[in-house]
């Protein structure tokens, strides 16, 4: 997007394999970090042997570049413990969402609503958001434990694995999403689930409306209506 700089790197062949490329990358990323950028991007030919170098530097493939011969890669510069999800992370994001819904939501919702929420957060939609560099993963000692999606100022698909909830993990994801949203927006918006409503209130979110989702009958599950609250937080306050 317009807030994410894109750069390229080139090195004469006789000088490759000496750590020069790594040093240049670190220097450039350091300059961007000092300048206050949250992320950086680059386009890479899919057959480029330097792809592994870029991955070691923290870049993740989020989808095709300008055409099918290129990868678009993104690196996060200022998100503590949180990184942009790449195409290799799609199944992981899906698994975190599905497990959290199936284990947490039954305490607040009827089975038909739980199943509808699982269908809502499907692989296809997650892949579409990953291709737009909207999806983020929280890792704990290298293990993905949480996820969140940012579409403009709208925070969606925020989940932390049930056995990893507490200890500030949800706070870490929300801090990262709000920090990114604040670069272009004055407020963050979300649709709250019942289990997370109190958490959002403690972060300063306030209810601005009540919405309904009429869910059609599917398979063994009858029709149902989900009532949820829209919430807004002013950023920078």
């Amino acid at each position: 997007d317009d807030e994410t700089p894109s750069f390229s790197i080139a090195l004469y062949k006789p000088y490759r394999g000496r750590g020069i490329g790594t040093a240049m990358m670190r220097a450039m990323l350091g300059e961007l970090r000092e300048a206050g950028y949250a992320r950086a991007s680059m386009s890479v030919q899919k057959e480029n042997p330097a792809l592994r170098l870029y991955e070691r530097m923290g870049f993740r493939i989020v989808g095709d570049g300008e055409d099918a011969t290129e990868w678009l890669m993104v690196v996060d510069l200022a998100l503590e413990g949180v990184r942009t999800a790449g195409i290799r992370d799609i199944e992981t994001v899906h698994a975190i969402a599905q497990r959290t819904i199936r284990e947490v939501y039954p305490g607040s919702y009827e089975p038909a609503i739980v199943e509808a929420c699982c269908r809502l957060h499907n692989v296809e939609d997650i892949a579409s958001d990953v291709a737009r560099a909207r999806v983020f993963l929280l890792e704990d000692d290298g293990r993905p434990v949480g996820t969140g999606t940012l579409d403009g100022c709208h925070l969606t698909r925020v989940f932390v694995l049930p056995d990893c909830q507490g200890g500030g993990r949800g706070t870490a994801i929300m801090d990262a999403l709000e920090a990114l949203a604040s670069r272009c927006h004055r407020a963050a918006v979300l649709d709250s689930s019942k289990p997370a409503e109190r958490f959002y209130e403690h972060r300063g979110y306030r209810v601005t409306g009540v919405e309904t989702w009429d869910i059609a009958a599917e398979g063994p599950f009858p029709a149902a209506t989900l009532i949820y609250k829209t919430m807004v937080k002013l950023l920078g306050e």
Side-chain angles (χ1 to χ4, degrees), residues 25-209:
M25 293 284 288
R26 285 176 177 164
M28 287 192 292
L29 293 175
E31 289 287 336
L32 292 173
R33 189 177 291 108
E34 287 293 325
Y37 289 102
R39 297 190 290 174
S41 68
M42 66 188 311
S43 296
V44 185
Q45 289 293 317
K46 292 182 177 180
E47 303 302 321
N48 191 332
L51 187 62
R52 291 183 180 179
L53 165 64
Y54 304 145
E55 289 179 324
R56 288 199 303 271
M57 298 300 298
F59 282 86
R60 295 291 182 269
I61 297 169
V62 297
D64 286 333
E66 292 186 359
D67 57 54
T69 68
E70 293 183 339
W71 289 125
L72 175 63
M73 305 187 77
V74 174
V75 64
D76 296 299
L77 302 174
L79 305 181
E80 187 67 31
V82 178
R83 65 172 176 82
T84 303
I87 59 175
R88 296 185 180 92
D89 300 308
I90 292 171
E91 290 293 341
T92 298
V93 172
H94 181 250
I96 292 173
Q98 297 296 308
R99 181 182 164 192
T100 305
I101 292 170
R102 292 195 181 280
E103 293 187 22
V104 175
Y105 280 28
S108 302
Y109 300 114
E110 60 191 277
I113 291 177
V114 174
E115 290 299 318
C117 290
C118 285
R119 294 194 300 271
L120 180 66
H121 298 292
N122 56 73
V123 170
E124 292 75 16
D125 286 347
I126 292 171
S128 177
D129 286 332
V130 165
R132 293 170 174 80
R134 294 175 175 173
V135 184
F136 300 87
L137 271 175
L138 172 69
E139 295 182 329
D140 190 348
D141 289 332
R143 177 196 177 196
V145 298
T147 185
T149 298
L150 180 64
D151 181 4
C153 65
H154 194 186
L155 282 60
T156 67
R157 203 183 293 120
V158 179
F159 296 109
V160 175
L161 288 173
D163 60 312
C164 297
Q165 293 181 5
R169 295 180 177 91
T171 296
I173 293 175
M174 292 295 292
D175 284 348
L177 296 178
E178 290 172 6
L180 288 171
S182 69
R183 296 180 63 83
C184 303
H185 304 278
R186 297 181 60 186
V189 181
L190 56 81
D191 300 325
S192 176
S193 65
K194 287 182 181 178
E197 185 176 335
R198 184 170 296 178
F199 169 70
Y200 294 138
E201 287 177 345
H202 287 165
R203 290 192 62 85
Y205 285 84
R206 296 293 177 263
V207 176
T208 57

